[in-house]
Amino acid sequence: MQVAVYPGSFDPVTYGHIDVIRRANTLIGTLLVAVVEQPPKETMFSAEERISMVRKATAGLKGVKIDVFQGLLVEYVLKVGAQAIIRGLRALTDFEYEFQMALTNRKLCDRIETIFLMPSETCSYFSSSMIKEIARLGGDISAFVPPSVCEKMKKKFGK
Ligand code: PNS
């Protein structure tokens, strides 16, 4: 496959996301990591901050490009000429949401497939939301996010 899009809020990017990016990068010519500008949920970090964190976390990964998108995902995927959407699938709890999203996107555009990749079991149990809560309460998040994200979160919480 030549081009695929890995979309998400990345609020913030975690080792789970990075694991999916690395796996997808071995299968796809160009992987566009697409940071959604206005996700349905309110974000802790601005789009610029989220992009900058993803950029730092993926520096040196040849074939990976970072972009930002607004509006419908399928429209963005068509605009950039990608053939598929990549999503990470962790536990059963992800399934319902991902299933709904994949089939809705297929209904909107039948030509775009969603491909699910499973991250390593070492990062299959945590989420960005959980990491934000730990950081807010002053806990150590270094097992879940790269050092640059740790620093950014410490600054955010004035620690
Ligand atoms: O990391 P997330 O928050 O699970 O990512 C969700 C995302 C950005 C992939 C999803 O909210 C999305 O695609 N938003 C763009 C708007 C859209 O196309 N909505 C219809 C998809 S069902």
Side-chain angles (χ1 to χ4, degrees), residues 104-121:
T104 307
N105 282 331
R106 180 180 283 165
K107 197 77 187 166
L108 293 174
C109 180
D110 198 28
R111 281 183 290 138
I112 302 168
E113 287 297 341
T114 301
I115 298 173
F116 294 101
L117 295 179
M118 286 188 196
S120 156
E121 69 281 3

mmCIF file of all heavy atoms in Angstrom, residues 104-121:
data_model
loop_
_atom_site.group_PDB
_atom_site.id
_atom_site.type_symbol
_atom_site.label_atom_id
_atom_site.label_comp_id
_atom_site.label_asym_id
_atom_site.label_seq_id
_atom_site.Cartn_x
_atom_site.Cartn_y
_atom_site.Cartn_z
ATOM 1 N N THR A 104 -19.298 3.288 9.499
ATOM 2 C CA THR A 104 -19.852 4.589 9.112
ATOM 3 C C THR A 104 -18.982 5.203 8.026
ATOM 4 O O THR A 104 -19.486 5.711 7.015
ATOM 5 C CB THR A 104 -19.935 5.539 10.338
ATOM 6 O OG1 THR A 104 -20.637 4.865 11.367
ATOM 7 C CG2 THR A 104 -20.642 6.833 9.985
ATOM 8 N N ASN A 105 -17.676 5.123 8.219
ATOM 9 C CA ASN A 105 -16.769 5.668 7.196
ATOM 10 C C ASN A 105 -16.920 4.915 5.878
ATOM 11 O O ASN A 105 -16.856 5.502 4.807
ATOM 12 C CB ASN A 105 -15.321 5.621 7.690
ATOM 13 C CG ASN A 105 -15.019 6.749 8.663
ATOM 14 O OD1 ASN A 105 -15.614 7.819 8.597
ATOM 15 N ND2 ASN A 105 -14.108 6.517 9.593
ATOM 16 N N ARG A 106 -17.160 3.605 5.967
ATOM 17 C CA ARG A 106 -17.361 2.815 4.734
ATOM 18 C C ARG A 106 -18.640 3.250 4.020
ATOM 19 O O ARG A 106 -18.703 3.302 2.792
ATOM 20 C CB ARG A 106 -17.416 1.327 5.075
ATOM 21 C CG ARG A 106 -17.625 0.469 3.849
ATOM 22 C CD ARG A 106 -17.690 -0.989 4.173
ATOM 23 N NE ARG A 106 -16.377 -1.545 4.426
ATOM 24 C CZ ARG A 106 -16.178 -2.732 5.014
ATOM 25 N NH1 ARG A 106 -17.216 -3.443 5.415
ATOM 26 N NH2 ARG A 106 -14.973 -3.190 5.192
ATOM 27 N N LYS A 107 -19.664 3.547 4.819
ATOM 28 C CA LYS A 107 -20.932 4.006 4.232
ATOM 29 C C LYS A 107 -20.727 5.352 3.524
ATOM 30 O O LYS A 107 -21.300 5.616 2.468
ATOM 31 C CB LYS A 107 -21.984 4.152 5.348
ATOM 32 C CG LYS A 107 -23.392 4.222 4.868
ATOM 33 C CD LYS A 107 -23.889 2.838 4.475
ATOM 34 C CE LYS A 107 -25.244 2.878 3.841
ATOM 35 N NZ LYS A 107 -25.531 1.581 3.189
ATOM 36 N N LEU A 108 -19.882 6.192 4.144
ATOM 37 C CA LEU A 108 -19.611 7.508 3.547
ATOM 38 C C LEU A 108 -18.749 7.385 2.295
ATOM 39 O O LEU A 108 -18.888 8.156 1.357
ATOM 40 C CB LEU A 108 -18.922 8.423 4.562
ATOM 41 C CG LEU A 108 -19.761 8.849 5.776
ATOM 42 C CD1 LEU A 108 -18.906 9.630 6.766
ATOM 43 C CD2 LEU A 108 -20.951 9.694 5.340
ATOM 44 N N CYS A 109 -17.834 6.403 2.320
ATOM 45 C CA CYS A 109 -16.973 6.189 1.146
ATOM 46 C C CYS A 109 -16.535 4.729 1.098
ATOM 47 O O CYS A 109 -15.689 4.303 1.892
ATOM 48 C CB CYS A 109 -15.758 7.110 1.190
ATOM 49 S SG CYS A 109 -14.721 6.819 -0.245
ATOM 50 N N ASP A 110 -17.109 4.009 0.173
ATOM 51 C CA ASP A 110 -16.905 2.560 0.065
ATOM 52 C C ASP A 110 -15.489 2.181 -0.382
ATOM 53 O O ASP A 110 -15.064 1.049 -0.216
ATOM 54 C CB ASP A 110 -17.951 2.032 -0.933
ATOM 55 C CG ASP A 110 -18.132 0.539 -0.793
ATOM 56 O OD1 ASP A 110 -17.906 0.036 0.324
ATOM 57 O OD2 ASP A 110 -18.479 -0.110 -1.791
ATOM 58 N N ARG A 111 -14.774 3.161 -0.942
ATOM 59 C CA ARG A 111 -13.446 2.850 -1.502
ATOM 60 C C ARG A 111 -12.349 2.843 -0.443
ATOM 61 O O ARG A 111 -11.227 2.429 -0.711
ATOM 62 C CB ARG A 111 -13.081 3.900 -2.572
ATOM 63 C CG ARG A 111 -13.759 3.638 -3.889
ATOM 64 C CD ARG A 111 -13.319 4.648 -4.926
ATOM 65 N NE ARG A 111 -13.834 5.975 -4.653
ATOM 66 C CZ ARG A 111 -13.143 7.102 -4.780
ATOM 67 N NH1 ARG A 111 -11.885 7.069 -5.151
ATOM 68 N NH2 ARG A 111 -13.692 8.276 -4.549
ATOM 69 N N ILE A 112 -12.670 3.343 0.751
ATOM 70 C CA ILE A 112 -11.635 3.449 1.786
ATOM 71 C C ILE A 112 -11.830 2.334 2.818
ATOM 72 O O ILE A 112 -12.901 2.204 3.401
ATOM 73 C CB ILE A 112 -11.704 4.821 2.499
ATOM 74 C CG1 ILE A 112 -11.554 5.956 1.487
ATOM 75 C CG2 ILE A 112 -10.656 4.924 3.593
ATOM 76 C CD1 ILE A 112 -11.890 7.320 2.042
ATOM 77 N N GLU A 113 -10.785 1.543 3.008
ATOM 78 C CA GLU A 113 -10.854 0.468 3.999
ATOM 79 C C GLU A 113 -10.251 0.942 5.318
ATOM 80 O O GLU A 113 -9.316 1.760 5.326
ATOM 81 C CB GLU A 113 -10.055 -0.757 3.536
ATOM 82 C CG GLU A 113 -10.706 -1.545 2.419
ATOM 83 C CD GLU A 113 -12.054 -2.163 2.796
ATOM 84 O OE1 GLU A 113 -12.355 -2.309 3.998
ATOM 85 O OE2 GLU A 113 -12.818 -2.491 1.866
ATOM 86 N N THR A 114 -10.753 0.412 6.431
ATOM 87 C CA THR A 114 -10.116 0.653 7.728
ATOM 88 C C THR A 114 -9.354 -0.606 8.109
ATOM 89 O O THR A 114 -9.900 -1.709 8.054
ATOM 90 C CB THR A 114 -11.162 0.986 8.806
ATOM 91 O OG1 THR A 114 -11.897 2.140 8.400
ATOM 92 C CG2 THR A 114 -10.495 1.265 10.147
ATOM 93 N N ILE A 115 -8.098 -0.431 8.459
ATOM 94 C CA ILE A 115 -7.250 -1.565 8.841
ATOM 95 C C ILE A 115 -6.885 -1.409 10.315
ATOM 96 O O ILE A 115 -6.422 -0.335 10.738
ATOM 97 C CB ILE A 115 -5.970 -1.594 7.973
ATOM 98 C CG1 ILE A 115 -6.355 -1.785 6.501
ATOM 99 C CG2 ILE A 115 -5.016 -2.691 8.430
ATOM 100 C CD1 ILE A 115 -5.196 -1.660 5.534
ATOM 101 N N PHE A 116 -7.108 -2.468 11.082
ATOM 102 C CA PHE A 116 -6.813 -2.415 12.514
ATOM 103 C C PHE A 116 -5.494 -3.115 12.816
ATOM 104 O O PHE A 116 -5.252 -4.224 12.332
ATOM 105 C CB PHE A 116 -7.942 -3.071 13.318
ATOM 106 C CG PHE A 116 -9.229 -2.304 13.212
ATOM 107 C CD1 PHE A 116 -10.241 -2.715 12.362
ATOM 108 C CD2 PHE A 116 -9.401 -1.142 13.946
ATOM 109 C CE1 PHE A 116 -11.411 -1.987 12.238
ATOM 110 C CE2 PHE A 116 -10.571 -0.409 13.835
ATOM 111 C CZ PHE A 116 -11.573 -0.829 12.988
ATOM 112 N N LEU A 117 -4.686 -2.449 13.627
ATOM 113 C CA LEU A 117 -3.428 -3.053 14.081
ATOM 114 C C LEU A 117 -3.465 -3.138 15.596
ATOM 115 O O LEU A 117 -3.930 -2.200 16.263
ATOM 116 C CB LEU A 117 -2.237 -2.204 13.636
ATOM 117 C CG LEU A 117 -1.995 -2.098 12.127
ATOM 118 C CD1 LEU A 117 -0.794 -1.207 11.849
ATOM 119 C CD2 LEU A 117 -1.772 -3.470 11.500
ATOM 120 N N MET A 118 -2.976 -4.240 16.108
ATOM 121 C CA MET A 118 -2.960 -4.386 17.569
ATOM 122 C C MET A 118 -1.608 -3.975 18.110
ATOM 123 O O MET A 118 -0.580 -4.511 17.690
ATOM 124 C CB MET A 118 -3.234 -5.836 17.947
ATOM 125 C CG MET A 118 -4.666 -6.181 17.755
ATOM 126 S SD MET A 118 -5.012 -7.788 18.405
ATOM 127 C CE MET A 118 -6.576 -8.060 17.619
ATOM 128 N N PRO A 119 -1.610 -3.024 19.044
ATOM 129 C CA PRO A 119 -0.327 -2.646 19.646
ATOM 130 C C PRO A 119 0.197 -3.765 20.529
ATOM 131 O O PRO A 119 -0.547 -4.679 20.896
ATOM 132 C CB PRO A 119 -0.665 -1.407 20.467
ATOM 133 C CG PRO A 119 -2.124 -1.452 20.689
ATOM 134 C CD PRO A 119 -2.723 -2.256 19.578
ATOM 135 N N SER A 120 1.455 -3.692 20.852
ATOM 136 C CA SER A 120 2.072 -4.668 21.743
ATOM 137 C C SER A 120 1.259 -4.776 23.045
ATOM 138 O O SER A 120 0.686 -3.787 23.500
ATOM 139 C CB SER A 120 3.490 -4.194 22.063
ATOM 140 O OG SER A 120 3.922 -4.742 23.267
ATOM 141 N N GLU A 121 1.258 -5.969 23.661
ATOM 142 C CA GLU A 121 0.487 -6.140 24.897
ATOM 143 C C GLU A 121 1.026 -5.236 26.011
ATOM 144 O O GLU A 121 0.312 -4.903 26.943
ATOM 145 C CB GLU A 121 0.452 -7.613 25.345
ATOM 146 C CG GLU A 121 1.761 -8.193 25.849
ATOM 147 C CD GLU A 121 2.720 -8.591 24.710
ATOM 148 O OE1 GLU A 121 2.388 -8.365 23.530
ATOM 149 O OE2 GLU A 121 3.807 -9.108 25.032
#
